[in-house]
Amino acid sequence: MKYNYLLIPMIFVSFFLSINCRYIQKRKITKSDSTFHQLEVGGIERSFIVHVGKGQIDKETTNTKPPLLIVLHGRLGSGLQVMEQSGFNVLADKESFIAVYPDGYSRSWADGRGKTPADRENVDDVRFLENMILYLEELYGIDKSNVFIVGHSNGGFMTQRIAAEKPHLFKAAVSIAAQLSKEVLKKWEPKSALSIAFMAGTEDPTVPYYGGYVRDGGEILSVEDSLERWKAWNGCTDSPTVIKKDERPDDTSLEIITYRACKNNTMIRLYKVIGGGHAWPGGIKLSIPKVFRGRLTQELDATNETWNFFKGL
């Protein structure tokens, strides 16, 4: 599937020039309909990979606007790494959505804790992601009412920051091995309800489940305090439903805790991996030493369950 950036309406080009965000280049990476793109945002060239699901390609003449899924890598990761390891492209082909995998600045995100290279350099990652969504709307005709975001670790903290700061951009967000930080709470509070899910291991050696300080810096809430904060913001009033699962011999078990009676038909959910560590549950073998990673779990497939959460809203 090929696009020519020269066909982008001039009004779009003028808009991006006016906010110092210009289209740089696009090139094919593989034969799987994934393309490499760059934007200039605040004087910095930012890159991302876009995968257009095969189902969407087949429907391109029907005027159907596709959903968009943004996937944020962890610290020292990349868009290509999380694209290849997460398996979201397979789901995009099956479910007919567009997946985008942006690259953080110096392999990091300015998630608000003030400790990453991107934070220390005052990189405006919120603006980057917002402008990237605008760009994808113009180029691919995405459905802006069905934009989702998921991130792991540093990417999960970035997900929490942009969800608190700009909740109107998304229909839902999922943070994996990350929760709300104290610095984000000091600066931002969402002005609208947003469906949120956390996937977290109780024995995460890098991002402590019960709160405290992250290995690379910054004080964070516990996962369950983060859940309570989003419940309050979303005005959830019900008692939770709890599903328990322990089917694999991997020394972990799973509790899925869900609140459904929330404002604007939003939902709050926690996937509590008891005994789990700092991992992408269900399969991704992250290049993290075991001392920082902890125990892997097979009780939960984070890729499939993330999309099921989004799709069920």
Side-chain angles (χ1 to χ4, degrees):
M1 183 174 185
K2 296 182 179 179
Y3 294 90
N4 187 332
Y5 73 84
L6 294 175
L7 298 179
I8 301 172
M10 288 305 296
I11 188 170
F12 168 70
V13 176
S14 299
F15 170 74
F16 270 83
L17 288 173
S18 71
I19 58 172
N20 194 27
C21 173
R22 63 183 177 84
Y23 177 80
I24 305 296
Q25 76 179 80
K26 179 189 72 170
R27 63 179 173 81
K28 198 86 164 180
I29 330 182
T30 69
K31 294 181 180 180
S32 63
D33 297 293
S34 297
T35 49
F36 177 86
H37 303 245
Q38 286 182 302
L39 293 172
E40 186 176 297
V41 183
I44 303 172
E45 291 186 6
R46 306 302 303 270
S47 56
F48 50 99
I49 298 169
V50 178
H51 179 84
V52 179
K54 288 186 173 66
Q56 184 58 35
I57 296 171
D58 294 339
K59 296 193 305 181
E60 65 180 334
T61 60
T62 67
N63 297 319
T64 302
K65 291 187 174 184
L68 174 67
L69 174 63
I70 300 169
V71 186
L72 303 184
H73 62 76
R75 179 78 176 94
L76 300 179
S78 69
L80 181 61
Q81 165 260 321
V82 77
M83 181 186 78
E84 290 179 338
Q85 293 182 340
S86 68
F88 274 118
N89 284 359
V90 174
L91 275 179
D93 290 344
K94 179 181 177 182
E95 300 285 343
S96 192
F97 63 86
I98 291 176
V100 59
Y101 307 89
D103 292 308
Y105 175 85
S106 191
R107 301 174 74 184
S108 73
W109 298 103
D111 62 30
R113 288 177 294 147
K115 304 299 181 181
T116 65
D119 254 337
R120 291 196 297 268
E121 301 260 350
N122 294 314
V123 172
D124 195 343
D125 275 327
V126 170
R127 183 179 169 195
F128 165 46
L129 295 176
E130 189 170 16
N131 289 344
M132 184 184 72
I133 292 169
L134 289 172
Y135 168 86
L136 294 170
E137 181 187 17
E138 291 293 334
L139 191 58
Y140 295 100
I142 62 165
D143 180 357
K144 285 190 71 178
S145 68
N146 279 302
V147 176
F148 307 99
I149 186 167
V150 58
H152 177 263
S153 193
N154 181 200
F157 285 116
M158 185 66 217
T159 296
Q160 288 298 298
R161 174 188 173 170
I162 198 168
E165 189 175 351
K166 303 267 187 175
H168 62 279
L169 294 177
F170 308 102
K171 187 171 184 178
V174 172
S175 285
I176 302 172
Q179 51 255 39
L180 282 166
S181 70
K182 291 285 185 73
E183 290 302 312
V184 164
L185 283 180
K186 289 177 185 176
K187 297 173 184 175
W188 300 288
E189 180 175 328
K191 293 182 172 61
S192 58
L194 177 67
S195 291
I196 292 284
F198 295 93
M199 297 183 184
T202 61
E203 296 182 19
D204 187 326
T206 298
V207 176
Y209 181 91
Y210 297 102
Y213 289 86
V214 184
R215 278 185 180 270
D216 66 354
E219 189 175 3
I220 61 173
L221 274 66
S222 72
V223 173
E224 290 172 22
D225 284 345
S226 299
L227 188 79
E228 290 296 319
R229 191 59 63 111
W230 277 105
K231 277 174 55 186
W233 286 336
N234 281 14
C236 302
T237 59
D238 59 332
S239 297
T241 60
V242 180
I243 297 172
K244 296 185 178 183
K245 181 181 174 185
D246 188 3
E247 299 173 353
R248 302 296 183 92
D250 59 7
D251 296 320
T252 70
S253 60
L254 177 67
E255 291 184 3
I256 304 173
I257 302 163
T258 304
Y259 295 84
R260 299 178 186 274
C262 308
K263 290 187 296 188
N264 300 330
N265 296 315
T266 55
M267 183 190 306
I268 304 295
R269 178 172 288 169
L270 167 59
Y271 298 85
K272 182 178 181 178
V273 184
I274 299 166
H278 191 73
W280 186 288
I284 287 189
K285 291 180 173 59
L286 300 169
S287 301
I288 302 174
K290 189 174 181 179
V291 66
F292 300 134
R293 186 193 67 206
R295 190 177 292 115
L296 301 175
T297 183
Q298 296 299 320
E299 299 290 348
L300 171 67
D301 183 322
T303 299
N304 285 323
E305 194 57 41
T306 291
W307 186 248
N308 286 340
F309 175 72
F310 292 150
K311 192 168 65 168
L313 296 171

